[in-house]
Amino acid sequence: MKFHEVDIKGYKAELPVLTLPSGVSICFFNLHGDTLLTEHCGKEIAKLADGCEVLITAESKGLQLTHVAARELGHAHYAVARKTKKLYMQDGIEISIQSSITTGAVQKLYLSKHDADLIKGKQVGIVDDVVSTGASLQGLEKLVEEAGGIIHSKLFVLAEGDAAERKDVKYLASIPIL
């Protein structure tokens, strides 16, 4: 297996190069189960989130990252966009998003009324692990807007491919699409 090394603000990570069904190869970034990497990235994301009153992420890889960033910012709560509608979410917000580079299918995002109320009228930081095509980001932006939040920052650990050229996102490091 091939690997791509990336320096994430002083933390060197070896990312496996994986080929997607489309034939495109990506540097696969996975925070799940890696406490040291998650802590490092979450603390660095928090440094970019100055002025954010609340954070939002989509499950699942953004969860632990956003938890660390929210803790570092002194936030008691953060909002979570779920990919499946849970029983407690019957009165929340539901949107459809175009497929991301890794999922390859249309997805839905759900925000509970509790989380919608949490971000209403607040300066919101959108947090996730990787921005690539921007499809997942568009879904989170739409949820924030529908809930009445104000998008303050769009914060990522990695910008993949052309996403590194975007002026509307902040990120810790960039990776290529191979």
Side-chain angles (χ1 to χ4, degrees):
M1 178 176 282
K2 291 174 62 177
F3 290 87
H4 176 81
E5 184 176 290
V6 62
D7 184 330
I8 305 170
K9 298 287 183 189
Y11 189 107
K12 301 231 187 301
E14 293 284 329
L15 308 182
V17 176
L18 303 178
T19 302
L20 300 175
S22 66
V24 172
S25 293
I26 62 168
C27 303
F28 184 69
F29 181 66
N30 185 12
L31 288 171
H32 288 312
D34 193 329
T35 59
L36 296 178
L37 179 59
T38 299
E39 284 288 325
H40 175 79
C41 293
K43 288 175 180 178
E44 292 295 326
I45 289 285
K47 292 176 185 177
L48 300 177
D50 187 42
C52 293
E53 296 175 283
V54 67
L55 303 177
I56 185 172
T57 192
E59 64 179 1
S60 73
K61 289 194 278 181
L63 289 174
Q64 62 269 31
L65 175 67
T66 306
H67 176 93
V68 172
R71 182 192 68 216
E72 292 298 306
L73 293 167
H75 295 178
H77 298 94
Y78 58 93
V80 178
R82 303 289 306 256
K83 293 179 181 174
T84 56
K85 190 173 189 176
K86 304 300 180 187
L87 186 59
Y88 68 91
M89 304 178 95
Q90 301 308 310
D91 55 355
I93 299 170
E94 174 183 328
I95 62 155
S96 294
I97 62 172
Q98 298 300 315
S99 62
S100 69
I101 194 169
T102 53
T103 58
V106 173
Q107 291 182 306
K108 290 193 179 231
L109 288 177
Y110 304 91
L111 192 65
S112 70
K113 182 177 183 325
H114 173 273
D115 284 359
D117 290 345
L118 178 67
I119 65 177
K120 184 176 183 176
K122 302 252 179 56
Q123 296 289 325
V124 180
I126 296 172
V127 178
D128 211 348
D129 61 338
V130 179
V131 60
S132 185
T133 64
S136 298
L137 173 57
Q138 286 178 340
L140 288 169
E141 289 174 313
K142 189 173 179 183
L143 278 177
V144 169
E145 290 166 2
E146 286 196 23
I150 303 146
I151 298 169
H152 179 278
S153 301
K154 304 167 196 175
L155 312 164
F156 299 88
V157 176
L158 299 173
E160 183 174 55
D162 291 342
E165 304 301 320
R166 291 179 63 149
K167 302 297 182 208
D168 64 326
V169 300
K170 298 177 185 178
Y171 56 90
L172 305 178
S174 62
I175 53 174
I177 294 178
L178 305 168

